[in-house]
Amino acid sequence: MLTRYDTAPIDKVTQDAQTGFVHITDVPIARVGVFPYLKADSSIEMEAKLPDELLSDSTVSSADSKPVTNDHPKELVNQQNASKYMKGFTADNAHVDNDTLKVDMTITDADLISEINKGKQELSIGFETEIVPEKGEYKGIAYDSVQRNIQINHVAVVEHGRAGHSVRLIGDSAKMVQQDEVHKKGQSMETTKVRLNDADVTVATGDADKIIKLDADNSEKQKQIDDLKAKIKDLQDQLDKLQGDDEETKKNADKAQAKADAAEKELADLKKKYSGDAMDKAVTARLELINKVKPYVGDSYDFAGKSEKQLKLDAIKALDDSVDLTNKSDDYIEAYFDSMCKTNDSAHINGYNGPQPNIGKDSNDLDELRNKRYNFSNQF
Protein backbone atom coordinates (compact mmCIF):
# COMPACT_ATOMS: atom_id res chain seq x y z
CA MET A 1 0.00 0.00 0.00
CA LEU A 2 1.25 3.51 -0.87
CA THR A 3 0.34 6.74 0.89
CA ARG A 4 -1.23 9.61 -1.09
CA TYR A 5 -2.09 13.21 -0.17
CA ASP A 6 -4.87 15.05 -2.05
CA THR A 7 -6.02 18.62 -1.56
CA ALA A 8 -9.37 20.46 -1.33
CA PRO A 9 -10.50 23.87 0.00
CA ILE A 10 -12.14 24.47 3.35
CA ASP A 11 -15.65 25.84 2.93
CA LYS A 12 -18.80 26.31 4.98
CA VAL A 13 -16.92 26.98 8.25
CA THR A 14 -18.84 27.71 11.46
CA GLN A 15 -17.64 28.05 15.07
CA ASP A 16 -19.52 26.73 18.08
CA ALA A 17 -20.25 29.63 20.44
CA GLN A 18 -20.02 27.46 23.56
CA THR A 19 -16.97 25.28 22.88
CA GLY A 20 -15.17 27.38 20.29
CA PHE A 21 -14.77 24.28 18.13
CA VAL A 22 -14.84 24.84 14.36
CA HIS A 23 -17.27 22.80 12.28
CA ILE A 24 -16.77 22.36 8.51
CA THR A 25 -19.71 20.84 6.70
CA ASP A 26 -20.07 18.93 3.46
CA VAL A 27 -16.36 19.00 2.67
CA PRO A 28 -15.42 17.53 -0.75
CA ILE A 29 -12.39 15.40 0.09
CA ALA A 30 -11.98 13.37 -3.13
CA ARG A 31 -13.46 13.15 -6.58
CA VAL A 32 -13.42 10.74 -9.48
CA GLY A 33 -10.88 11.53 -12.20
CA VAL A 34 -7.33 11.17 -13.51
CA PHE A 35 -4.58 13.03 -11.66
CA PRO A 36 -0.78 13.33 -11.84
CA TYR A 37 1.29 12.13 -8.89
CA LEU A 38 4.94 12.91 -8.26
CA LYS A 39 6.74 9.67 -7.44
CA ALA A 40 9.85 9.22 -5.27
CA ASP A 41 12.09 9.28 -8.36
CA SER A 42 10.60 12.69 -9.36
CA SER A 43 8.75 11.16 -12.31
CA ILE A 44 5.10 11.91 -12.92
CA GLU A 45 2.50 9.18 -13.23
CA MET A 46 -1.13 9.68 -14.18
CA GLU A 47 -3.28 7.76 -11.71
CA ALA A 48 -7.02 7.19 -11.99
CA LYS A 49 -9.63 7.30 -9.25
CA LEU A 50 -12.39 5.38 -10.99
CA PRO A 51 -16.01 5.47 -9.76
CA ASP A 52 -16.05 1.77 -8.82
CA GLU A 53 -13.06 2.36 -6.54
CA LEU A 54 -13.46 5.83 -5.01
CA LEU A 55 -17.23 5.64 -4.58
CA SER A 56 -17.28 2.08 -3.22
CA ASP A 57 -18.84 1.45 0.20
CA SER A 58 -15.45 0.54 1.64
CA THR A 59 -13.75 3.78 0.60
CA VAL A 60 -16.69 6.00 1.56
CA SER A 61 -16.95 4.48 5.04
CA SER A 62 -13.17 4.87 5.52
CA ALA A 63 -13.70 8.66 5.68
CA ASP A 64 -15.91 8.38 8.79
CA SER A 65 -14.49 9.36 12.20
CA LYS A 66 -10.93 9.95 11.04
CA PRO A 67 -8.34 12.33 12.59
CA VAL A 68 -7.92 15.92 11.44
CA THR A 69 -4.28 17.07 11.63
CA ASN A 70 -2.33 20.33 11.38
CA ASP A 71 -0.31 19.67 8.20
CA HIS A 72 0.55 16.11 7.32
CA PRO A 73 2.36 14.10 9.96
CA LYS A 74 5.43 12.11 8.99
CA GLU A 75 3.56 8.90 9.61
CA LEU A 76 0.06 7.56 9.36
CA VAL A 77 -2.12 8.50 12.34
CA ASN A 78 -2.99 5.65 14.70
CA GLN A 79 -3.85 4.96 18.35
CA GLN A 80 -0.28 5.32 19.50
CA ASN A 81 0.36 8.78 17.99
CA ALA A 82 -3.17 10.26 17.93
CA SER A 83 -2.54 12.44 21.01
CA LYS A 84 0.40 14.00 19.17
CA TYR A 85 -1.18 14.59 15.76
CA MET A 86 -4.97 14.63 16.16
CA LYS A 87 -6.46 18.16 16.22
CA GLY A 88 -10.05 17.20 15.40
CA PHE A 89 -12.07 14.50 13.65
CA THR A 90 -14.41 13.81 10.76
CA ALA A 91 -18.06 13.02 11.30
CA ASP A 92 -19.65 9.67 10.54
CA ASN A 93 -21.69 11.01 7.59
CA ALA A 94 -19.30 10.38 4.66
CA HIS A 95 -21.38 10.27 1.49
CA VAL A 96 -21.29 10.42 -2.28
CA ASP A 97 -22.43 13.55 -4.14
CA ASN A 98 -22.35 12.88 -7.91
CA ASP A 99 -18.69 11.94 -8.50
CA THR A 100 -17.40 13.39 -5.22
CA LEU A 101 -16.79 11.99 -1.72
CA LYS A 102 -17.84 14.40 1.05
CA VAL A 103 -17.86 14.46 4.86
CA ASP A 104 -18.31 16.91 7.77
CA MET A 105 -15.52 17.55 10.29
CA THR A 106 -14.86 19.24 13.64
CA ILE A 107 -11.59 20.93 14.69
CA THR A 108 -10.95 21.13 18.44
CA ASP A 109 -7.36 22.43 18.68
CA ALA A 110 -7.12 26.13 19.58
CA ASP A 111 -3.82 26.72 17.75
CA LEU A 112 -5.13 25.18 14.52
CA ILE A 113 -8.41 27.12 14.82
CA SER A 114 -6.38 30.32 15.15
CA GLU A 115 -4.40 29.47 12.02
CA ILE A 116 -7.63 28.75 10.12
CA ASN A 117 -8.99 32.17 11.11
CA LYS A 118 -5.77 33.73 9.80
CA GLY A 119 -6.23 32.10 6.38
CA LYS A 120 -4.95 28.55 6.57
CA GLN A 121 -7.94 27.13 4.81
CA GLU A 122 -7.10 24.19 2.61
CA LEU A 123 -7.40 20.49 3.26
CA SER A 124 -5.18 17.66 2.11
CA ILE A 125 -6.38 14.08 2.31
CA GLY A 126 -3.94 11.40 3.46
CA PHE A 127 -4.91 7.88 2.36
CA GLU A 128 -3.48 4.49 1.53
CA THR A 129 -4.05 2.80 -1.82
CA GLU A 130 -2.81 0.03 -4.06
CA ILE A 131 -1.37 1.32 -7.33
CA VAL A 132 -2.15 -1.14 -10.14
CA PRO A 133 -0.39 -0.55 -13.50
CA GLU A 134 -3.23 -0.40 -15.96
CA LYS A 135 -3.40 1.94 -18.93
CA GLY A 136 -6.73 3.35 -19.98
CA GLU A 137 -8.74 6.50 -20.47
CA TYR A 138 -11.39 8.21 -18.37
CA LYS A 139 -13.43 11.13 -19.78
CA GLY A 140 -10.83 11.75 -22.45
CA ILE A 141 -7.80 11.73 -20.14
CA ALA A 142 -5.31 8.86 -20.39
CA TYR A 143 -3.92 7.20 -17.26
CA ASP A 144 -1.00 4.88 -16.49
CA SER A 145 -2.34 3.18 -13.39
CA VAL A 146 -5.43 2.81 -11.17
CA GLN A 147 -5.78 3.46 -7.44
CA ARG A 148 -7.52 0.48 -5.88
CA ASN A 149 -8.67 -0.28 -2.32
CA ILE A 150 -8.53 3.41 -1.31
CA GLN A 151 -8.57 3.83 2.49
CA ILE A 152 -8.60 7.34 4.03
CA ASN A 153 -6.32 7.77 7.09
CA HIS A 154 -6.60 11.45 8.02
CA VAL A 155 -7.50 14.93 6.79
CA ALA A 156 -4.78 17.59 7.17
CA VAL A 157 -5.32 21.35 7.30
CA VAL A 158 -2.54 22.88 5.18
CA GLU A 159 -1.35 26.35 4.25
CA HIS A 160 -1.50 25.72 0.52
CA GLY A 161 -2.37 22.67 -1.47
CA ARG A 162 0.39 21.10 -3.47
CA ALA A 163 -1.29 22.47 -6.59
CA GLY A 164 -0.99 26.05 -5.33
CA HIS A 165 -3.39 28.23 -3.40
CA SER A 166 -5.10 29.50 -6.57
CA VAL A 167 -6.02 26.00 -7.66
CA ARG A 168 -9.13 25.13 -5.70
CA LEU A 169 -10.95 22.04 -6.85
CA ILE A 170 -13.94 20.14 -5.64
CA GLY A 171 -12.00 17.11 -4.49
CA ASP A 172 -8.46 16.16 -5.49
CA SER A 173 -5.78 18.59 -6.49
CA ALA A 174 -3.82 18.11 -9.65
CA LYS A 175 -0.51 17.87 -7.80
CA MET A 176 -0.48 14.84 -5.54
CA VAL A 177 2.71 13.32 -4.16
CA GLN A 178 4.09 10.36 -2.26
CA GLN A 179 4.71 10.60 1.45
CA ASP A 180 8.47 11.13 1.25
CA GLU A 181 7.89 14.29 -0.81
CA VAL A 182 5.47 15.64 1.79
CA HIS A 183 8.15 15.32 4.44
CA LYS A 184 10.17 18.05 2.73
CA LYS A 185 8.06 20.72 4.40
CA GLY A 186 8.50 24.17 2.97
CA GLN A 187 9.90 22.82 -0.30
CA SER A 188 8.00 22.78 -3.57
CA MET A 189 8.91 22.16 -7.18
CA GLU A 190 8.74 25.06 -9.56
CA THR A 191 7.65 22.86 -12.42
CA THR A 192 5.99 19.51 -12.86
CA LYS A 193 4.79 17.30 -15.67
CA VAL A 194 1.21 16.57 -16.60
CA ARG A 195 -0.18 14.25 -19.25
CA LEU A 196 -1.83 16.09 -22.11
CA ASN A 197 -2.84 14.37 -25.34
CA ASP A 198 -0.88 11.22 -24.41
CA ALA A 199 2.34 13.20 -23.81
CA ASP A 200 4.15 14.46 -20.70
CA VAL A 201 4.22 18.27 -20.65
CA THR A 202 6.25 20.35 -18.18
CA VAL A 203 4.21 23.15 -16.58
CA ALA A 204 4.38 25.41 -13.53
CA THR A 205 3.56 23.38 -10.43
CA GLY A 206 0.90 25.82 -9.31
CA ASP A 207 -0.81 25.61 -12.67
CA ALA A 208 -0.77 21.85 -13.13
CA ASP A 209 -4.28 21.14 -11.96
CA LYS A 210 -5.67 24.17 -13.74
CA ILE A 211 -4.12 23.03 -17.00
CA ILE A 212 -5.54 19.54 -16.64
CA LYS A 213 -8.98 21.01 -15.98
CA LEU A 214 -8.62 23.29 -18.99
CA ASP A 215 -7.49 20.33 -21.06
CA ALA A 216 -10.59 18.41 -20.02
CA ASP A 217 -12.72 21.43 -20.86
CA ASN A 218 -10.96 21.77 -24.21
CA SER A 219 -11.53 18.08 -24.89
CA GLU A 220 -15.23 18.56 -24.28
CA LYS A 221 -15.25 21.67 -26.46
CA GLN A 222 -13.35 19.79 -29.16
CA LYS A 223 -15.97 17.05 -29.02
CA GLN A 224 -18.69 19.67 -29.46
CA ILE A 225 -16.72 21.18 -32.35
CA ASP A 226 -16.33 17.76 -33.96
CA ASP A 227 -20.06 17.11 -33.54
CA LEU A 228 -20.87 20.47 -35.17
CA LYS A 229 -18.44 19.74 -38.00
CA ALA A 230 -20.17 16.41 -38.57
CA LYS A 231 -23.56 18.14 -38.67
CA ILE A 232 -22.21 20.77 -41.07
CA LYS A 233 -20.80 18.06 -43.32
CA ASP A 234 -24.14 16.25 -43.30
CA LEU A 235 -25.95 19.47 -44.22
CA GLN A 236 -23.36 20.18 -46.92
CA ASP A 237 -23.87 16.69 -48.34
CA GLN A 238 -27.63 17.30 -48.42
CA LEU A 239 -27.05 20.67 -50.12
CA ASP A 240 -24.71 19.10 -52.67
CA LYS A 241 -27.33 16.45 -53.42
CA LEU A 242 -30.04 19.05 -53.91
CA GLN A 243 -27.73 21.06 -56.14
CA GLY A 244 -26.91 17.86 -57.98
CA ASP A 245 -30.62 17.26 -58.53
CA ASP A 246 -30.92 20.81 -59.83
CA GLU A 247 -27.99 20.20 -62.17
CA GLU A 248 -29.65 17.04 -63.46
CA THR A 249 -32.89 18.92 -64.01
CA LYS A 250 -31.03 21.68 -65.81
CA LYS A 251 -29.19 19.11 -67.91
CA ASN A 252 -32.48 17.47 -68.94
CA ALA A 253 -33.93 20.88 -69.75
CA ASP A 254 -30.89 21.66 -71.89
CA LYS A 255 -31.33 18.39 -73.76
CA ALA A 256 -34.99 19.13 -74.38
CA GLN A 257 -34.11 22.62 -75.60
CA ALA A 258 -31.46 21.18 -77.90
CA LYS A 259 -34.01 18.80 -79.41
CA ALA A 260 -36.47 21.64 -79.86
CA ASP A 261 -33.79 23.75 -81.56
CA ALA A 262 -32.91 20.84 -83.84
CA ALA A 263 -36.56 20.38 -84.76
CA GLU A 264 -36.88 24.10 -85.54
CA LYS A 265 -33.83 23.88 -87.79
CA GLU A 266 -35.16 20.81 -89.52
CA LEU A 267 -38.46 22.58 -90.16
CA ALA A 268 -36.63 25.60 -91.55
CA ASP A 269 -34.58 23.33 -93.82
CA LEU A 270 -37.73 21.61 -95.02
CA LYS A 271 -39.41 24.92 -95.73
CA LYS A 272 -36.36 26.01 -97.66
CA LYS A 273 -36.09 22.70 -99.46
CA TYR A 274 -39.72 22.63 -100.53
CA SER A 275 -40.28 26.28 -101.35
CA GLY A 276 -41.26 27.36 -104.91
CA ASP A 277 -40.21 24.97 -107.74
CA ALA A 278 -38.63 22.61 -105.24
CA MET A 279 -42.05 21.93 -103.70
CA ASP A 280 -43.57 21.25 -107.12
CA LYS A 281 -40.77 18.86 -107.98
CA ALA A 282 -41.11 17.07 -104.65
CA VAL A 283 -44.88 16.69 -105.09
CA THR A 284 -44.42 15.40 -108.62
CA ALA A 285 -41.77 12.89 -107.51
CA ARG A 286 -44.03 11.72 -104.67
CA LEU A 287 -46.97 11.19 -107.02
CA GLU A 288 -44.80 9.28 -109.47
CA LEU A 289 -43.59 7.00 -106.67
CA ILE A 290 -47.17 6.44 -105.45
CA ASN A 291 -48.19 5.48 -109.01
CA LYS A 292 -45.34 2.96 -109.13
CA VAL A 293 -46.11 1.47 -105.74
CA LYS A 294 -49.89 1.38 -105.92
CA PRO A 295 -50.18 -1.55 -108.40
CA TYR A 296 -48.30 -3.69 -105.85
CA VAL A 297 -49.93 -2.65 -102.59
CA GLY A 298 -53.48 -2.06 -103.81
CA ASP A 299 -56.05 0.71 -103.38
CA SER A 300 -56.53 0.09 -99.65
CA TYR A 301 -52.90 0.94 -98.81
CA ASP A 302 -52.42 4.04 -96.64
CA PHE A 303 -49.68 6.22 -98.13
CA ALA A 304 -49.87 8.95 -95.48
CA GLY A 305 -46.70 9.52 -93.53
CA LYS A 306 -44.74 6.82 -95.36
CA SER A 307 -41.18 7.62 -96.46
CA GLU A 308 -39.95 6.83 -99.93
CA LYS A 309 -37.91 3.94 -98.59
CA GLN A 310 -40.89 2.51 -96.69
CA LEU A 311 -43.11 2.71 -99.79
CA LYS A 312 -40.55 0.77 -101.82
CA LEU A 313 -40.09 -1.84 -99.12
CA ASP A 314 -43.85 -2.37 -98.80
CA ALA A 315 -44.15 -2.75 -102.60
CA ILE A 316 -41.35 -5.35 -102.71
CA LYS A 317 -42.89 -7.28 -99.80
CA ALA A 318 -46.32 -7.16 -101.44
CA LEU A 319 -44.83 -8.77 -104.55
CA ASP A 320 -42.73 -11.37 -102.74
CA ASP A 321 -42.93 -11.62 -98.95
CA SER A 322 -40.03 -14.08 -98.87
CA VAL A 323 -37.50 -11.45 -99.91
CA ASP A 324 -35.11 -10.64 -97.02
CA LEU A 325 -33.98 -7.03 -97.14
CA THR A 326 -32.70 -6.88 -93.55
CA ASN A 327 -29.57 -4.74 -93.22
CA LYS A 328 -29.64 -3.94 -96.96
CA SER A 329 -28.41 -0.50 -97.97
CA ASP A 330 -30.64 2.21 -99.39
CA ASP A 331 -28.87 1.82 -102.75
CA TYR A 332 -29.65 -1.90 -102.79
CA ILE A 333 -33.34 -1.33 -102.01
CA GLU A 334 -33.50 1.43 -104.66
CA ALA A 335 -31.97 -0.83 -107.32
CA TYR A 336 -34.18 -3.76 -106.36
CA PHE A 337 -37.33 -1.64 -106.58
CA ASP A 338 -36.39 -0.14 -109.97
CA SER A 339 -35.59 -3.58 -111.41
CA MET A 340 -38.85 -4.95 -110.05
CA CYS A 341 -40.85 -2.14 -111.63
CA LYS A 342 -39.16 -2.61 -115.05
CA THR A 343 -39.64 -6.38 -114.98
CA ASN A 344 -43.28 -6.16 -114.04
CA ASP A 345 -44.46 -3.29 -116.27
CA SER A 346 -46.76 -5.65 -118.20
CA ALA A 347 -47.30 -8.22 -115.45
CA HIS A 348 -50.56 -8.84 -113.64
CA ILE A 349 -50.14 -7.10 -110.29
CA ASN A 350 -52.54 -6.65 -107.41
CA GLY A 351 -55.01 -3.89 -108.40
CA TYR A 352 -53.60 -3.73 -111.98
CA ASN A 353 -55.28 -5.32 -115.04
CA GLY A 354 -52.70 -5.11 -117.74
CA PRO A 355 -52.21 -7.53 -120.66
CA GLN A 356 -52.46 -11.15 -119.50
CA PRO A 357 -49.81 -13.67 -120.50
CA ASN A 358 -50.91 -16.74 -122.43
CA ILE A 359 -50.46 -19.39 -119.82
CA GLY A 360 -51.31 -23.02 -120.42
CA LYS A 361 -52.98 -25.26 -117.97
CA ASP A 362 -49.79 -27.06 -117.12
CA SER A 363 -48.62 -26.08 -113.69
CA ASN A 364 -45.01 -26.46 -114.76
CA ASP A 365 -45.50 -23.72 -117.34
CA LEU A 366 -46.94 -21.43 -114.65
CA ASP A 367 -44.01 -22.06 -112.28
CA GLU A 368 -41.52 -21.42 -115.05
CA LEU A 369 -43.16 -18.11 -115.91
CA ARG A 370 -43.19 -16.99 -112.25
CA ASN A 371 -39.55 -17.82 -111.89
CA LYS A 372 -38.73 -15.71 -114.93
CA ARG A 373 -40.81 -12.77 -113.73
CA TYR A 374 -39.98 -12.69 -110.01
CA ASN A 375 -36.50 -14.16 -109.66
CA PHE A 376 -34.24 -11.11 -109.42
CA SER A 377 -31.31 -12.78 -107.74
CA ASN A 378 -29.27 -12.87 -110.92
CA GLN A 379 -29.75 -9.16 -111.57
CA PHE A 380 -27.74 -7.83 -108.60
Side-chain angles (χ1 to χ4, degrees):
M1 298 281 285
L2 294 177
T3 303
R4 288 286 187 265
Y5 299 89
D6 296 358
T7 303
I10 292 178
D11 197 9
K12 302 179 182 178
V13 178
T14 59
Q15 191 166 16
D16 186 272
Q18 183 184 43
T19 64
F21 295 166
V22 167
H23 301 289
I24 309 171
T25 60
D26 208 29
V27 181
I29 61 175
R31 66 181 173 88
V32 173
V34 178
F35 310 97
Y37 285 83
L38 178 64
K39 298 168 64 177
D41 61 0
S42 296
S43 64
I44 295 292
E45 183 170 280
M46 301 299 288
E47 297 180 11
K49 283 183 172 67
L50 300 179
D52 290 345
E53 298 295 332
L54 180 64
L55 307 183
S56 66
D57 292 341
S58 174
T59 299
V60 173
S61 63
S62 74
D64 288 336
S65 304
K66 289 298 170 72
V68 174
T69 65
N70 189 359
D71 292 321
H72 285 290
K74 295 182 179 181
E75 55 189 327
L76 294 177
V77 182
N78 54 40
Q79 184 181 20
Q80 284 70 36
N81 59 27
S83 60
K84 178 180 180 181
Y85 297 128
M86 189 168 174
K87 309 299 180 180
F89 53 88
T90 64
D92 60 356
N93 66 344
H95 58 281
V96 174
D97 184 359
N98 293 322
D99 63 351
T100 304
L101 175 57
K102 295 183 176 182
V103 69
D104 294 353
M105 63 182 65
T106 299
I107 299 173
T108 59
D109 183 76
D111 291 338
L112 179 54
I113 291 173
S114 176
E115 290 185 49
I116 290 174
N117 290 332
K118 292 177 182 179
K120 190 173 184 177
Q121 294 190 355
E122 290 192 20
L123 300 175
S124 183
I125 289 40
F127 60 94
E128 289 185 299
T129 183
E130 296 175 7
I131 306 302
V132 179
E134 180 181 313
K135 291 187 179 298
E137 185 177 291
Y138 182 74
K139 291 188 176 180
I141 303 178
Y143 56 81
D144 304 303
S145 56
V146 176
Q147 295 179 0
R148 299 196 185 282
N149 191 24
I150 300 170
Q151 296 294 301
I152 296 171
N153 174 259
H154 64 272
V155 179
V157 179
V158 295
E159 191 70 40
H160 299 296
R162 290 283 179 166
H165 183 70
S166 63
V167 181
R168 291 175 173 267
L169 299 177
I170 297 177
D172 302 331
S173 69
K175 184 70 170 59
M176 302 158 188
V177 298
Q178 289 183 330
Q179 186 176 9
D180 57 356
E181 179 66 16
V182 176
H183 294 167
K184 303 173 185 177
K185 186 176 180 181
Q187 298 180 14
S188 63
M189 297 178 62
E190 293 182 359
T191 62
T192 188
K193 291 182 179 180
V194 296
R195 180 66 62 85
L196 299 176
N197 296 326
D198 297 329
D200 289 337
V201 180
T202 301
V203 299
T205 300
D207 293 333
D209 190 56
K210 184 185 297 183
I211 290 173
I212 287 182
K213 186 175 185 301
L214 288 174
D215 181 63
D217 292 342
N218 288 338
S219 296
E220 180 62 27
K221 290 177 181 177
Q222 186 60 48
K223 182 178 181 301
Q224 294 176 4
I225 290 172
D226 292 341
D227 290 343
L228 286 175
K229 285 182 177 179
K231 291 179 181 179
I232 291 171
K233 183 179 182 303
D234 181 60
L235 291 173
Q236 186 62 52
D237 290 343
Q238 295 181 37
L239 178 60
D240 292 343
K241 184 179 183 303
L242 291 173
Q243 290 178 338
D245 293 342
D246 290 342
E247 289 295 327
E248 187 65 25
T249 301
K250 184 176 183 300
K251 188 184 296 183
N252 291 335
D254 290 343
K255 288 181 180 179
Q257 185 62 48
K259 290 180 180 179
D261 292 343
E264 288 287 345
K265 186 177 183 303
E266 184 178 358
L267 177 60
D269 292 342
L270 286 174
K271 289 180 178 179
K272 182 178 179 181
K273 179 179 178 181
Y274 295 121
S275 62
D277 294 340
M279 178 65 79
D280 294 338
K281 291 179 181 179
V283 172
T284 300
R286 178 76 173 181
L287 291 174
E288 289 177 354
L289 179 59
I290 290 174
N291 288 333
K292 288 183 180 181
V293 170
K294 190 171 183 179
Y296 297 95
V297 298
D299 292 333
S300 61
Y301 182 79
D302 184 6
F303 289 90
K306 301 290 195 309
S307 66
E308 294 181 4
K309 181 178 178 180
Q310 188 61 52
L311 292 175
K312 294 174 183 178
L313 286 171
D314 290 346
I316 294 170
K317 286 291 185 180
L319 181 64
D320 187 354
D321 190 49
S322 65
V323 177
D324 184 10
L325 298 176
T326 305
N327 298 327
K328 298 297 183 181
S329 66
D330 292 346
D331 292 338
Y332 183 92
I333 295 171
E334 180 72 25
Y336 196 107
F337 178 75
D338 289 344
S339 177
M340 180 185 76
C341 290
K342 291 177 182 178
T343 303
N344 291 282
D345 277 346
S346 60
H348 176 68
I349 302 173
N350 182 27
Y352 177 78
N353 295 319
Q356 301 296 313
N358 184 16
I359 301 175
K361 295 181 180 179
D362 190 273
S363 62
N364 291 330
D365 294 336
L366 180 60
D367 291 340
E368 181 179 358
L369 180 58
R370 286 177 176 168
N371 287 335
K372 288 180 179 180
R373 289 180 176 174
Y374 305 129
N375 188 359
F376 305 111
S377 61
N378 294 327
Q379 300 180 35
F380 300 94

